[in-house]
Amino acid sequence: MSKSNCRQIGYAYSQEYIKLADLLPSNVGRASLVDDLIRSHGLLALCDDIISPSFASKDQLTAYHDSKFISYVLKGEDTVFSDSDESDRGSRGSAHSTLSNKDAEERLRERFGLEFDCPEFEGLDKYVQAISGATIACARYLTAQKVNSDKQRVAINWLGGRHHAAKDKCSGFCYVNDIVLGILELRKTFEKVMYIDLDLHHGDGVETAFAYSNKVLNLSVHRYDKGFFPGSGNSKFCGKGRGQNYTINLGLKAGLCDTSLQRILRDVIRPAYERYQPDAVVLQCGADGLARDPLKEWNLSIRGLGSVILDIIDFGKPTLVLGGGGYNHADTARLCCLVLGDLGIEMHR
């Protein structure tokens, strides 16, 4: 039986979802470019299932994130503060806001990381709900494999993979950590989950969330150097408490090439997978390590990175595939298209 017959591919998609993802300040319009290329090759129609993204509820978002942070980001609800937060009280959007209220608003934006690389933008609330809702929907698609386990399920959300967001703070173009929310959803069904992060930057938000857990093996391949964002990901850190030795950081220098990444897959990623024997895999496929990315730190080709992504999917476990960084929008779209096209789905050429 061919690999395409052994897989069932679900793809998170709706036109409304694409429009909301296009709003992300760091990647304005990237979602539409990815979508246009995928549809121009007829790949959307070849997926087994279209996963309809839904808006994550506040309860779903606070399964990990701080409730005050989420209330502030959603804006539709008043942020509730304790007495100790009295100095942060302020009228959101009031035409009669006093100077002190404006100062309080500024303090809140700073407190929740809504500045610098994560500025507020029109539609932020819906964007956060859509990105999270799509990843949660993909996770639920995978848990349904328990009912029909004759095929490997793969769920793809190219617009997710926001790995920097903390429990109560935005960071690094990431306003919400949909990856953590997706893993928590998978953990309702699967005992052990392996998280693999191929983004140029360290997956610090996901690592922090599961640093004390032995139920999530966290493996991040990233650029690491003094002054390089986010500054974490030292190879010496391997988790804490029960999570000791369940975090693997591969902090690398500039210039990573296809051959070296394949060697990492062979000598580190695959052996870690075989030792841990997870029930499901979550894969973050940031494209900012591609050679033509504006950051110009790594030297990966689209085919080289894509082949490693496909090899990890070939491990055969239920796999949640997510996007991430990538600031050459055309190359990011090409990577997404290549992976989807090579997943064993028959393409019309």
Side-chain angles (χ1 to χ4, degrees), residues 32-75:
S32 286
L33 189 60
V34 172
D35 177 52
D36 287 345
L37 190 60
I38 284 174
R39 288 194 294 114
S40 71
H41 284 280
L43 300 181
L44 193 62
L46 296 174
C47 292
D48 297 285
D49 300 292
I50 297 299
I51 301 171
S52 298
S54 57
F55 290 114
S57 67
K58 184 177 179 181
D59 284 345
Q60 287 176 315
L61 292 168
T62 56
Y64 173 64
H65 287 289
D66 176 78
S67 61
K68 294 175 184 177
F69 167 67
I70 291 300
S71 291
Y72 187 90
V73 170
L74 295 186
K75 290 187 179 180

Side-chain angles (χ1 to χ4, degrees), residues 226-242:
K226 184 177 181 180
F228 190 79
F229 184 85
S232 55
N234 189 306
S235 298
K236 294 180 180 179
F237 181 78
C238 57
K240 298 180 179 180
R242 290 185 178 180

Side-chain angles (χ1 to χ4, degrees), residues 310-337:
L310 291 163
D311 284 344
I312 291 171
I313 294 172
D314 278 346
F315 288 171
K317 295 295 183 179
T319 305
L320 173 55
V321 180
L322 302 169
Y327 308 100
N328 180 320
H329 290 182
D331 276 3
T332 301
R334 292 183 183 105
L335 175 69
C336 296
C337 193

